[in-house]
Amino acid sequence: QQQVKQSPQSLIVQKGGISIINCAYENTAFDYFPWYQQFPGKGPALLIAIRPDVSEKKEGRFTISFNKSAKQFSLHIMDSQPGDSATYFCAAAPNNLFFGTGTRLTVIP
Amino acid sequence: KAGVTQTPRYLIKTRGQQVTLSCSPISGHRSVSWYQQTPGQGLQFLFEYFSETQRNKGNFPGRFSGRQFSNSRSEMNVSTLELGDSALYLCASSLSSGKFSEQFFGPGTRLTVL
């Protein structure tokens, strides 16, 4: 059973547009929600993370929105660039990380 | 600072064999976690080692085992390989144990079981 559900599976966005990836979870013990970015042939790299005591965290063009009551969180990439084309994974943890299934983002120039 | 290194990068084995994968963490990092990545199941946590002790274990059969040495290097062993074990095995290191300590991933070992 997938502990963290991620959507969409793939996303195509025009350069300069906003990319939005959504994740949902059921386990209320989760208290750490990171997002990872993975390029082909590389391991995932931490992009940004949030804890449930805040509803939003922004780092540059990347923002996590967190809705504790709905048990949902999302990643927004503002002003999307071709270099952002990668696979993005959300994750959640009580102790070890449970990952979503990934979203392949393609940003068209 | 050198990143996480994993050896070998590619491996082909046949069913029933066993395999050992190696991970060298970033210098100074004492925690090493292992993950299996497949197209169907995504990234799944295998186990975490900190100071040579297994701290946490995922939901994998006992054929999957690991260890950590005093220099923090870690090995993962899979015995009696099955076709379904074909995957990218990722190792991640962090300064300390626990979810809040940022994990740095290596490039992975691609295992193919024939």
Side-chain angles (χ1 to χ4, degrees):
Chain A
Q1 185 188 357
Q2 198 69 30
Q3 296 260 6
V4 180
K5 292 184 168 64
Q6 183 172 348
S7 63
Q9 260 189 325
S10 62
L11 184 60
I12 300 174
V13 172
Q14 293 276 357
K15 179 183 173 182
I18 302 173
S19 303
I20 302 174
I21 304 170
N22 301 300
C23 286
Y25 64 97
E26 286 298 325
N27 190 339
T28 53
F30 289 159
D31 61 353
Y32 177 63
F33 303 89
W35 284 87
Y36 286 82
Q37 180 189 55
Q38 185 176 26
F39 292 104
K42 305 282 187 185
L46 179 66
L47 198 58
I48 185 173
I50 198 168
R51 300 189 195 189
D53 52 345
V54 297
S55 59
E56 186 174 282
K57 183 174 181 180
K58 185 176 181 180
E59 287 184 4
R61 296 185 293 109
F62 301 91
T63 300
I64 299 179
S65 296
F66 184 80
N67 186 329
K68 188 174 180 179
S69 61
K71 297 202 278 287
Q72 294 174 348
F73 58 112
S74 59
L75 175 70
H76 291 63
I77 306 174
M78 312 300 287
D79 187 26
S80 298
Q81 299 296 314
D84 296 332
S85 297
T87 300
Y88 292 81
F89 294 93
C90 61
N95 295 303
N96 54 278
L97 290 172
F98 290 90
F99 284 85
T101 48
T103 296
R104 182 171 291 187
L105 171 65
T106 304
V107 181
I108 301 170
Chain B
K1 205 176 200 181
V4 177
T5 56
Q6 292 188 244
T7 56
R9 290 293 311 276
Y10 301 90
L11 206 47
I12 299 175
K13 292 284 187 179
T14 56
R15 275 184 302 172
Q17 286 188 310
Q18 77 164 28
V19 67
T20 299
L21 312 181
S22 181
C23 172
S24 292
I26 292 171
S27 177
H29 285 195
R30 294 171 62 196
S31 173
V32 172
S33 297
W34 288 90
Y35 295 84
Q36 181 194 66
Q37 186 174 24
T38 59
Q41 298 295 320
L43 273 154
Q44 293 186 284
F45 171 77
L46 280 154
F47 29 66
E48 180 200 5
Y49 285 87
F50 178 77
S51 294
E52 302 178 66
T53 303
Q54 188 180 88
R55 284 296 184 96
N56 213 347
K57 189 177 188 308
N59 190 25
F60 277 81
R63 300 186 296 107
F64 292 80
S65 63
R67 58 177 175 167
Q68 187 181 34
F69 302 95
S70 58
N71 61 359
S72 295
R73 191 177 69 84
S74 177
E75 286 182 348
M76 191 192 93
N77 185 76
V78 188
S79 62
T80 320
L81 283 166
E82 300 176 1
L83 294 178
D85 297 333
S86 293
L88 181 67
Y89 289 89
L90 292 160
C91 154
S93 77
S94 55
L95 276 170
S96 60
S97 179
K99 59 198 169 193
F100 299 125
S101 185
E102 182 179 352
Q103 295 187 22
F104 294 83
F105 284 81
T109 293
R110 173 77 61 186
L111 171 65
T112 302
V113 182
L114 302 175

